[in-house]
Amino acid sequence: MKTPLITGLLLSVAFLFLTGCNHLQNDSDPDLSVFPQTEQGTEEKPSDDTSLPPADNIKEEENRSSLAEGEKDDSNSTQPEDSAVEADTDPESMAVIVNKEYSLPENYEPDDLVYPDVPFTFDEMIDKRMMRKEAGEALEKLFAAAAEDGVTLLGVSAYRSYDTQEQLYNNYVKRDGEEAAQTYSAFPGHSEHQTGLAIDVTGGDRICVVEDCFAGTEEAKWLEENAAEFGFIIRYLEGKELITGYKYEPWHIRYVGKEMAEAITALGVTLEEYYNVVPVSN
Ligand SMILES: [Zn+2]
C-alpha cells in the first residue's frame, strides 16, 4: 500500500535534486565559454617569476566562481571605457603593456633605474633590486604605509634585464625542454620585469615567497586593498588566467601610476581588459 507513495516521494526528491544540480551547472558553464576553446585545451600558464608548479586543481572551483563574477561585471561596465583607451606600447611609458603578445625591444633597458629604499629578502645591491625612479619612489611610500598598518613587506625581485631573462629561460629549456619551460617562464622580451615597473613582494615571515600560499595572507590582502593608492595594480588576477596568460600571482605588483591604477582596480579588470586587447594568444 505504502510502496507507491514512498517511490513517488523518492522520485520527487531525485527530480528536485537533479534540477538543482543542473541549475548550478548552468550558472557556471556560460561563463567559461566566453574564452576561446583552443586556449582551454593547451592550458599554457607560464610564469615569469620562478619555477612554480601550479596548484591549479586546488583552486579550480574558486577560479570558476571568480570568472563568473568577473565576466558578468566586465560585460556591463568596461566596454565603453575599453574603447576609449588605446593600448600603450611605448616601452618608456609607465602605462606600457607587456605580455605574451606585446614584447619589449631586445635592447630596451630603462635609463632611470634606482635602488628603492625598501627591505628585500636579500642584501646584495644587484639588478633585481632596481626599479624605475617613479615606480621606486611609489614603492617606498607603499612599503611605509603598509608598515604603518603593521604589515611588513619585503621585495623579492624587481628589474630583470632581457639578457637575464634569456639566461633564465634557456636554463629552464635545457632542464625541462621548451614546451615545459614555456609553462612557467616568460620568453625573453615578454617579461614585465624588464620594464623596471614590476616587482614581486612577500611578507616579513618569508613563508610564502612567490608561492601560491601567499594568496590570502595579511600582506596579500593589504596589497589588494591599498596598492592602487600608490599607483600599483595586482597584475595577474585570480580567475583571469586565460586573459593575462599567467596564473594568479598575488605577489606580482605593477606600477602604472595612481590614476590608472585606481581606475583599473575600481573596475576589477586586468591591464589587457582595460586596453581591450584580449584574449592574449598563447
Ligand atoms: Zn613577477
Side-chain angles (χ1 to χ4, degrees), residues 47-50 157-158 160 191-193 198-201 210 235-236 246 249 251-253:
S47 162
D48 60 344
D49 293 301
T50 49
S157 184
R160 197 179 301 150
S191 171
E192 212 181 39
H193 287 272
I199 180 170
D200 301 325
V201 299
V210 194
R235 182 67 177 86
Y236 306 117
Y246 289 86
E249 294 190 359
W251 57 83
H252 178 113
I253 57 172

Side-chain angles (χ1 to χ4, degrees), residues 64-82:
R64 282 186 189 189
S65 45
S66 300
L67 272 178
E69 283 165 30
E71 283 313 308
K72 276 169 196 160
D73 287 351
D74 295 348
S75 56
N76 292 334
S77 60
T78 64
Q79 222 47 43
E81 245 100 352
D82 284 345

